[in-house]
Amino acid sequence: MRISYNWLKQFIKLDWKSEETAALLTDLGLEVEGVDKFESLKGGLEGVVVGHVLTCIQHPNADRLRITTVDIGEGTPVQIVCGAPNVAVGQKVPVATIGTTLYDKEGNPFQIKKGKIRGEESHGMICAEDELGLGEGHDGIMVLKDDLKPGTPASKVFSIETDEVFEIGLTPNRADAMSHWGVARDLRAGLTQKNVNTELLTPSVSNFRIDKRTLKMDVKVEDSKLAPRYCGVTISGITVKPSPAWLQNRLKAIGLTPKNNVVDVTNYVLHELGQPLHAFDAAKIKGNKVIVKTLPAGTKFTTLDDVERTLHEEDLMICDENGPMCIAGVFGGKNSGVTETTATIFLESAYFNPVSIRKTAKRHTLSTDASFRFERGIDPTITEYALKRAALLIQETAGGEITSDLTDIYPKKIEDHSVLLNFANVTRTIGQELPKETIKKILVSLDIKISTMSDAGLGLVIPAYRVDVTREIDVIEEILRVYGYNNINFTTKLNASISNSSRTEDYKLQNIIAEQLASLGFNEMMANSLTTPEYIKLSESLKEEFNVMMLNPLSNDLAAMRQSLLFSALEAVSFNINRKRADLKLFEFGKTYHKMPGGYDENKHLTLTVTGSRLPESWTYAQKPSDFFMFKGFVNLVLGRLGITKMEAQPVASDVFSEGVALVSGNEVLVEFGSIKKNIRKHFDIKQEVFFADFNWGNIIRIVSSKIRYTEISKFPEVRRDLALLVDMAVTFDSIYTTARQAEKSLLKDISLFDVYEGKNLPEGKKSYAISFTLQDSAKTLTDEQIDKIMGKIRQNLEKETGAQLR
């Protein structure tokens, strides 16, 4: 939100520097993120002065140029070569002196330098109005009033306005501060706390009067819950034209583009008082009737941006007897707006239900200055006052007369609300006792009335416009922010307690695994839990009836809670590949959401995503792409780090993997992983292979033991024996591993496959496995006889169970 300092000073007289005011506003919770300089004319005509033409002669080397001497108030006249046909002796003219920066029509700067034109020196430039940005004329130089003194800055002659504009990061709860008046109220409270007494000045509407009663509008509000207050008045005989300079400058300072005097006034009052208004062309209101109501679902309506929209049955509309004219509080209609030919208007000021406006704005993906304020809650007490203020400004800038009584439909007044404040609660919450008189002073400065008073606390009446102050704790927050967080003393005593927490707490395990994955070169990603419901079409395991849909989605792409973390990962992979980062290792801790028949289901997951090359490109080694077995190693490392070693591998029944494996412990699926199918990758425009693992974090948490298990390192040596086995192509290492383990359970410590050979010199349908077996006894040194006996038993079992033969 942009706040003009000059505009702010119309409400509160203050001679502080902008830096001081910005610091105070930030302390009050209206964080000033920056202060920008505004000039009604770019450059502010700095370096341009009034000059007096003393002499003017023909240039000896150019028919269209003249050599002048000009007094610019520095004592010695300067020589300037000028090409304007109307330059003459005795004129007062604007002169851009050496070093002055001017701007062309596109806003590009150019600097005035000393130079020679056709052999004659020129020390500046006598300017036309378009060269200064003061108009479009370029037929000749500007001729100023004769009574101006040479050397007078042109900024004073042309009343160039400069301003400083605060960029305030307004939090959503501070609806009361969405205007210059609202910021001025807060600023007054802050100044009062600093013992700077100042009065809050409000624009007077005492001159508002009804000139005639010749154009009455019949106003009917059909749903007072959606439109609790509605005001309107007609103004006739206006002339729609550009706004005066002061009004345009106010709007330009805060980033608005002036349109015409009527629209500009409504925007001005919106940002001045925080009350949105809307002006209708009264001649276009059929039957002189204004009806505030909802319309049947499916009704078509064309808005000001020339877009035809389909209305919802809950959209509140401003209608005439023929149909809709405006989406109430959100956006005007194409066929009822003010144009250059408008002579009469119906001016609307209203308080609409915030929830209704927010739903309508989100439903039609419209966000306007008016809806921004209505949906957060404006002040219902100034509806009529703001209407009078706008009507007077329209008369001032566009002429015209008030030609109807002021309509104010307000069947049920929105009352201020009461809160009880306990002094003991204030002290306990703040951590410091504040003087009672200080508390009262702060509350009064915030327009909070004290209705009752006792030694224990206060009975308070909160203004209706403070929609964010409804509880005692809210009042305490108001006291604290005005008193100043920086003024609260810090205690020198630190109290802490020691808690006995479980080793397997979720966040601890997450940190352990995150650190491990980071050490392996993984980057952690965090994706939005909101996604498009269309992703369920990519997998048969995801069901449309399981989607958890948003009631008021920000967009169609963020309309559902995700049922799987896979698509978030593929979005991240696609995003990075498109930015030349094709080698990726990503992990994410996140949740999935399902709407089940028995209620909502929320599950936590850990996902790993790997794609591209194993290692960064380098001359020291050949590039190798990531493969399934490398990825399986990452999966096993995660489970091993958590102490999960007893698990069974099963084929995964998933339509997202071209090759997939599930690791199961008992009846619990710990993880499913594999290579993503090509058709799914194609949807995200990913051509390279992607490996994905989905850990069911809930199942993992349940089976991880909280006890630390350890084994003493044996004093006795290990013995390694290698076997070269000839096996059928269908035999897997897993079957050999299992058979060998069954042959010797206590002394066989490790089994490792270190070579696989297929091809030449082997019988057809056979392959060779080179396997190492590590034996160890923790109590004594193994003898050759024991070792031979164990290896013989292993060979026999392998021959019997797998058909393996020694090579």
Side-chain angles (χ1 to χ4, degrees):
M1 182 181 71
R2 294 174 65 85
I3 294 293
S4 157
Y5 200 17
N6 288 348
W7 199 343
L8 196 61
K9 289 177 181 177
Q10 290 183 338
F11 290 100
I12 193 163
K13 299 300 180 184
L14 191 63
D15 58 359
W16 282 19
K17 292 181 180 179
S18 60
E19 293 84 359
E20 296 175 286
T21 304
L24 179 55
L25 288 173
T26 299
D27 288 344
L28 290 166
L30 303 178
E31 182 179 0
V32 178
E33 298 173 342
V35 181
D36 299 326
K37 185 177 180 181
F38 168 77
E39 295 169 327
S40 58
L41 185 66
K42 193 171 184 179
L45 297 182
E46 186 176 350
V48 181
V49 299
V50 174
H52 183 200
V53 181
L54 302 177
T55 65
C56 180
I57 61 173
Q58 182 67 43
H59 194 294
N61 302 318
D63 294 339
R64 296 185 178 182
L65 298 179
R66 291 172 175 78
I67 302 173
T68 66
T69 55
V70 183
D71 177 10
I72 58 173
E74 295 181 352
T76 303
V78 297
Q79 178 174 295
I80 299 175
V81 177
C82 180
N86 64 326
V87 63
V89 173
Q91 291 174 336
K92 298 291 176 64
V93 293
V95 177
T97 58
I98 300 298
T100 298
T101 299
L102 299 179
Y103 297 85
D104 61 20
K105 293 181 179 179
E106 287 72 36
N108 301 313
F110 63 92
Q111 192 176 53
I112 305 301
K113 299 178 180 178
K114 177 183 175 181
K116 284 189 176 182
I117 301 177
R118 294 291 183 91
E120 297 293 334
E121 288 189 357
S122 184
H123 298 265
M125 183 172 78
I126 303 175
C127 302
E129 65 177 22
D130 68 328
E131 293 167 331
L132 297 176
L134 296 170
E136 299 295 328
H138 194 71
D139 295 336
I141 59 169
M142 292 186 72
V143 179
L144 307 177
K145 293 180 180 179
D146 289 337
D147 58 353
L148 293 175
K149 183 179 178 180
T152 302
S155 58
K156 293 184 178 180
V157 176
F158 296 104
S159 301
I160 303 302
E161 182 175 350
T162 60
D163 196 358
E164 291 170 295
V165 182
F166 301 125
E167 186 68 47
I168 295 179
L170 192 69
T171 53
N173 63 308
R174 292 303 308 277
D176 63 294
M178 291 188 296
S179 65
H180 286 76
W181 188 17
V183 173
R185 277 191 307 234
D186 251 26
L187 188 57
R188 178 192 61 178
L191 291 170
T192 301
Q193 179 59 26
K194 291 184 176 293
N195 296 318
V196 179
N197 294 319
T198 183
E199 184 181 357
L200 186 62
L201 307 173
T202 54
S204 172
V205 294
S206 59
N207 290 334
F208 179 86
R209 70 176 189 277
I210 299 167
D211 298 303
K212 300 176 182 177
R213 291 180 173 83
T214 55
L215 184 59
K216 180 184 177 183
M217 288 288 169
D218 293 326
V219 180
K220 181 181 180 182
V221 177
E222 293 190 358
D223 192 335
S224 60
K225 289 183 179 179
L226 298 182
R229 189 174 190 184
Y230 191 89
C231 299
V233 72
T234 63
I235 306 175
S236 302
I238 65 168
T239 302
V240 178
K241 58 184 179 181
S243 299
W246 70 266
L247 179 52
Q248 292 196 35
N249 288 339
R250 285 286 178 267
L251 297 180
K252 288 178 181 178
I254 60 173
L256 297 182
T257 302
K259 291 184 172 62
N260 60 57
N261 45 8
V262 175
V263 174
D264 291 350
V265 164
T266 60
N267 284 331
Y268 180 86
V269 174
L270 166 70
H271 289 276
E272 179 186 53
L273 303 177
Q275 172 65 55
L277 303 110
H278 190 74
F280 298 89
D281 188 329
K284 298 175 182 177
I285 301 176
K286 304 303 179 183
N288 287 351
K289 290 182 179 180
V290 175
I291 308 165
V292 185
K293 63 179 181 178
T294 56
L295 295 173
T299 302
K300 303 296 183 181
F301 177 65
T302 304
T303 47
L304 276 172
D305 55 359
D306 208 25
V307 174
E308 185 180 73
R309 303 181 188 275
T310 302
L311 300 180
H312 188 273
E313 66 268 19
E314 294 180 359
D315 292 337
L316 186 65
M317 305 296 296
I318 312 299
C319 309
D320 60 14
E321 64 178 13
N322 282 2
M325 300 187 295
C326 172
I327 303 177
V330 179
F331 211 33
K334 180 182 178 181
N335 300 320
S336 62
V338 173
T339 65
E340 294 178 355
T341 60
T342 298
T344 58
I345 62 170
F346 173 71
L347 187 62
E348 165 198 279
S349 177
Y351 177 88
F352 297 120
N353 182 282
V355 175
S356 170
I357 298 301
R358 181 181 183 279
K359 287 183 177 180
T360 296
K362 296 300 180 186
R363 196 179 289 127
H364 296 288
T365 62
L366 289 169
S367 180
T368 61
D369 284 339
S371 67
F372 180 82
R373 285 158 176 79
F374 275 128
E375 66 188 31
R376 284 161 175 80
I378 62 171
D379 185 357
T381 65
I382 66 165
T383 311
E384 180 184 355
Y385 168 73
L387 182 65
K388 291 180 178 179
R389 169 68 169 157
L392 290 172
L393 285 174
I394 289 174
Q395 285 186 295
E396 178 185 334
T397 59
E401 298 176 315
I402 307 296
T403 51
S404 74
D405 289 319
L406 191 151
T407 300
D408 186 3
I409 301 175
Y410 197 14
K412 185 177 180 180
K413 184 179 178 181
I414 298 175
E415 301 290 345
D416 297 339
H417 43 280
S418 300
V419 172
L420 294 176
L421 178 69
N422 187 293
F423 290 130
N425 291 339
V426 176
T427 301
R428 184 174 63 254
T429 303
I430 294 177
Q432 178 179 324
E433 185 175 1
L434 303 185
K436 294 179 181 179
E437 290 305 316
T438 299
I439 293 174
K440 295 175 187 176
K441 182 180 177 181
I442 291 173
L443 293 173
V444 171
S445 70
L446 291 169
D447 293 335
I448 296 176
K449 298 176 183 177
I450 300 173
S451 58
T452 60
M453 191 183 313
S454 69
D455 291 338
L458 303 171
L460 305 174
V461 178
I462 312 298
Y465 67 81
R466 290 309 306 268
V467 294
D468 60 322
V469 182
T470 58
R471 305 165 299 167
E472 181 187 40
I473 192 65
D474 299 328
V475 177
I476 296 173
E477 181 185 3
E478 291 296 294
I479 295 169
L480 184 54
R481 72 178 181 85
V482 175
Y483 182 77
Y485 290 93
N486 296 335
N487 296 323
I488 300 300
N489 298 325
F490 287 93
T491 179
T492 56
K493 182 181 178 182
L494 179 64
N495 296 323
S497 59
I498 300 175
S499 62
N500 182 19
S501 60
S502 168
R503 177 176 170 269
T504 56
E505 282 191 84
D506 190 355
Y507 79 93
K508 290 183 179 180
L509 294 181
Q510 285 191 49
N511 289 340
I512 289 171
I513 298 305
E515 289 174 2
Q516 180 198 33
L517 291 171
S519 70
L520 293 171
F522 281 78
N523 290 304
E524 184 171 9
M525 62 170 280
M526 297 179 69
N528 198 337
S529 293
L530 296 175
T531 187
T532 172
E534 297 299 313
Y535 281 156
I536 63 170
K537 297 178 181 178
L538 299 177
S539 173
E540 294 179 0
S541 62
L542 306 178
K543 305 296 183 183
E544 184 175 0
E545 59 267 25
F546 292 166
N547 266 337
V548 180
M549 303 299 295
M550 295 294 98
L551 294 176
N552 295 298
L554 296 173
S555 69
N556 291 333
D557 290 336
L558 299 172
M561 304 291 281
R562 59 182 175 179
Q563 291 190 41
S564 170
L565 273 63
L566 168 63
F567 307 114
S568 303
L570 293 177
E571 286 176 346
V573 169
S574 177
F575 183 89
N576 279 273
I577 289 175
N578 290 336
R579 285 153 184 80
K580 306 301 181 182
R581 292 180 58 88
D583 303 330
L584 301 169
K585 293 178 184 176
L586 305 173
F587 75 94
E588 180 184 11
F589 286 99
K591 293 182 178 180
T592 58
Y593 308 86
H594 297 77
K595 184 180 180 181
M596 308 303 288
Y600 291 98
D601 192 13
E602 180 178 315
N603 295 306
K604 195 163 193 174
H605 295 257
L606 163 65
T607 62
L608 307 184
T609 309
V610 172
T611 186
S613 299
R614 293 187 178 203
L615 297 169
E617 188 175 7
S618 174
W619 66 273
T620 58
Y621 47 77
Q623 284 290 90
K624 288 186 178 181
S626 301
D627 58 30
F628 181 85
F629 294 102
M630 182 198 78
F631 189 64
K632 180 182 178 183
F634 290 139
V635 173
N636 286 331
L637 282 172
V638 170
L639 295 174
R641 184 66 182 85
L642 295 170
I644 302 175
T645 56
K646 294 182 180 180
M647 50 199 170
E648 180 185 350
Q650 297 178 354
V652 63
S654 173
D655 60 350
V656 301
F657 295 127
S658 57
E659 295 179 81
V661 174
L663 297 181
V664 180
S665 177
N667 295 324
E668 303 279 9
V669 176
L670 302 181
V671 58
E672 294 181 349
F673 63 95
S675 177
I676 301 301
K677 280 187 174 179
K678 187 176 180 180
N679 66 307
I680 295 179
R681 288 189 279 115
K682 185 178 179 180
H683 182 84
F684 294 89
D685 195 26
I686 301 172
K687 297 180 176 62
Q688 62 195 52
E689 192 168 19
V690 178
F691 299 98
F692 180 78
D694 185 0
F695 292 82
N696 189 318
W697 195 251
N699 289 347
I700 289 173
I701 291 291
R702 280 193 292 272
I703 68 170
V704 170
S705 172
S706 61
K707 295 180 180 180
I708 301 174
R709 293 187 291 269
Y710 62 92
T711 303
E712 184 180 0
I713 297 175
S714 177
K715 304 174 188 177
F716 302 99
E718 294 178 345
V719 176
R720 170 173 163 165
R721 291 290 185 269
D722 297 342
L723 295 179
L725 301 175
L726 191 66
V727 298
D728 292 337
M729 294 294 290
V731 175
T732 64
F733 172 68
D734 186 56
S735 63
I736 291 176
Y737 183 94
T738 303
T739 302
R741 281 290 184 194
Q742 291 172 348
E744 177 54 53
K745 297 181 179 179
S746 61
L747 300 181
L748 184 57
K749 300 300 182 183
D750 186 48
I751 306 171
S752 176
L753 175 67
F754 63 87
D755 187 41
V756 179
Y757 175 73
E758 300 174 10
K760 193 175 180 182
N761 298 326
L762 291 183
E764 187 175 350
K766 297 288 186 178
K767 60 184 175 181
S768 175
Y769 276 171
I771 303 174
S772 68
F773 299 86
T774 302
L775 305 171
Q776 186 183 41
D777 191 332
S778 59
K780 62 185 180 201
T781 301
L782 290 171
T783 65
D784 290 340
E785 184 180 351
Q786 287 177 299
I787 296 168
D788 291 341
K789 184 178 179 181
I790 293 170
M791 293 305 298
K793 186 178 180 182
I794 291 174
R795 287 197 304 272
Q796 289 176 8
N797 279 25
L798 291 174
E799 290 173 359
K800 181 180 178 181
E801 298 294 335
T802 67
Q805 299 175 4
L806 284 177
R807 288 189 63 191

